[in-house]
Amino acid sequence: MLAHGDLAPKNLPMLFANEFGGVWSLSHSREIHKGHFHNEKTVDNGGVISRQLGTVKPNDKYEIMNGWTLSKKELYALEYINVISHFVVFSFIFDDELCKQNCKTLMKEIN
């Protein structure tokens, strides 16, 4: 199941089971992928794996203003073979100087 991650996070496993009952009953592995908070976190909630994933999105004015700029910029690829899942992380490399310049520009706009 894919979810943005900011709404009803504790209800997602039951929403998954109720709204996608056919898929739920046939699956051996149940996962919820979400990303609202832009950092990585994995939780096993009664057999349902909940993965909160990061983003490669550049920091915007709101994130800079609130100090939410420290998360890694990563892409994720998940491969499922039979009942075994493989989790691969691709780190996104960006130009630090360009990022610093954009941050300075945004900070000027904020002030």
Side-chain angles (χ1 to χ4, degrees), residues 58-96:
N59 296 319
D60 59 27
K61 183 178 178 179
Y62 181 77
E63 293 162 340
I64 292 169
M65 192 169 60
N66 287 285
W68 300 324
T69 59
L70 302 175
S71 62
K72 292 188 261 180
K73 306 296 183 196
E74 294 181 329
L75 293 173
Y76 301 82
L78 289 93
E79 178 182 24
Y80 298 89
I81 302 172
N82 297 327
V83 295
I84 301 169
S85 66
H86 301 277
F87 190 66
V88 180
V89 177
F90 296 95
S91 290
F92 176 73
I93 300 170
F94 60 94
D95 184 335
D96 281 337

Side-chain angles (χ1 to χ4, degrees), residues 9-54:
K10 293 183 180 185
N11 295 335
L12 288 176
M14 286 308 297
L15 288 170
F16 188 4
N18 283 291
E19 293 181 11
F20 303 100
V23 173
W24 181 274
S25 68
L26 296 173
S27 65
H28 297 282
S29 176
R30 298 172 179 116
E31 294 195 15
I32 298 168
H33 299 183
K34 52 192 178 176
H36 175 75
F37 295 102
H38 297 216
N39 60 341
E40 187 177 325
K41 182 179 179 183
T42 302
V43 176
D44 184 336
N45 185 357
V48 179
I49 304 298
S50 179
R51 297 185 192 275
Q52 179 178 294
L53 306 173

